[in-house]
Amino acid sequence: MSIEITPHVTSLHVDLSWFPQPYPPNVFLIRDGGEAALIDSGFGDDDSYKARSEAVAGLSLKYIIITHHHFDHSSGAPRLREATGAKIVVHRAEEELLLNPKLETGDVEIAGDGEEQKKAREMAKKWREEAAKATPDVRVEDGDVLRVGGLHLRSVHAPGHTAGHLCIVLEE
């Protein structure tokens, strides 16, 4: 399900029945003049990949901007980059956490011993491994600007949730 927020910003929501939290991750499409960027990639599962691929069809996807390394925001990036040629963008302080899932202390805690919890833990391990394949093509610092069409996307370093958490300001 896509929701247009402004003429340049669309929310790309995918309902995931297997996701162990109340809301799947937000992914936003920023577009102008035939060029586009994704803010986060979400998961790399087939449903998420299909929805995001359909959303960028006919556009030149320049960037996949990962706000932080947690797999629900980053594990779809390698597959989307392979299909589109987009560059993966992260804040410099987030790169080591993204590429080394062994440093992760648990972005999604899944308690319990039931079959559903066991399956969720197995999927979490898979998504962490997928996210670790999202080798950055572009590393940004606070204040750096990326262009998409005539739009300017300013990087804002916002540590707290993670060390290199990144916010994007659409200046227009």
Side-chain angles (χ1 to χ4, degrees):
M1 170 176 71
S2 296
I3 300 170
E4 186 174 291
I5 299 181
T6 75
H8 296 288
V9 180
T10 303
S11 173
L12 306 178
H13 180 80
V14 179
D15 284 321
L16 302 171
S17 61
W18 52 265
F19 188 61
Q21 295 184 358
Y23 305 104
N26 292 314
V27 174
F28 295 94
L29 174 66
I30 311 296
R31 66 188 179 292
D32 185 57
E35 291 185 344
L38 287 176
I39 308 298
D40 285 332
S41 65
F43 289 102
D45 65 290
D46 290 341
D47 290 338
S48 297
Y49 173 77
K50 181 180 180 209
R52 276 104 201 203
S53 294
E54 289 172 356
V56 301
L59 297 169
S60 173
L61 186 62
K62 288 183 69 174
Y63 303 111
I64 302 165
I65 303 168
I66 297 175
T67 61
H68 63 292
H69 73 278
H70 292 162
F71 63 83
D72 54 328
H73 294 264
S74 60
S75 63
R79 191 172 177 190
L80 287 164
R81 171 175 53 191
E82 185 178 320
T84 65
K87 294 181 178 180
I88 294 176
V89 179
V90 299
H91 187 276
R92 287 187 186 280
E94 199 71 3
E95 182 175 5
E96 186 175 359
L97 293 169
L98 176 68
L99 300 181
N100 190 349
K102 291 181 177 25
L103 295 176
E104 183 56 68
T105 58
D107 45 329
V108 175
E109 292 298 328
I110 303 164
D113 296 326
E115 282 303 311
E116 285 187 27
Q117 291 86 357
K118 181 180 176 184
K119 183 177 178 184
R121 282 191 290 275
E122 289 170 3
M123 291 175 75
K125 182 178 186 278
K126 175 185 173 190
W127 298 132
R128 282 188 187 99
E129 291 168 356
E130 285 300 310
K133 296 176 187 173
T135 309
D137 300 297
V138 178
R139 293 151 188 89
V140 294
E141 299 280 350
D142 187 62
D144 288 352
V145 176
L146 300 170
R147 292 193 61 161
V148 173
L151 303 176
H152 299 84
L153 285 70
R154 182 168 304 277
S155 302
V156 177
H157 184 212
H161 184 55
T162 66
H165 195 270
L166 189 63
C167 295
I168 300 297
V169 175
L170 176 58
E171 293 187 339
E172 286 74 20

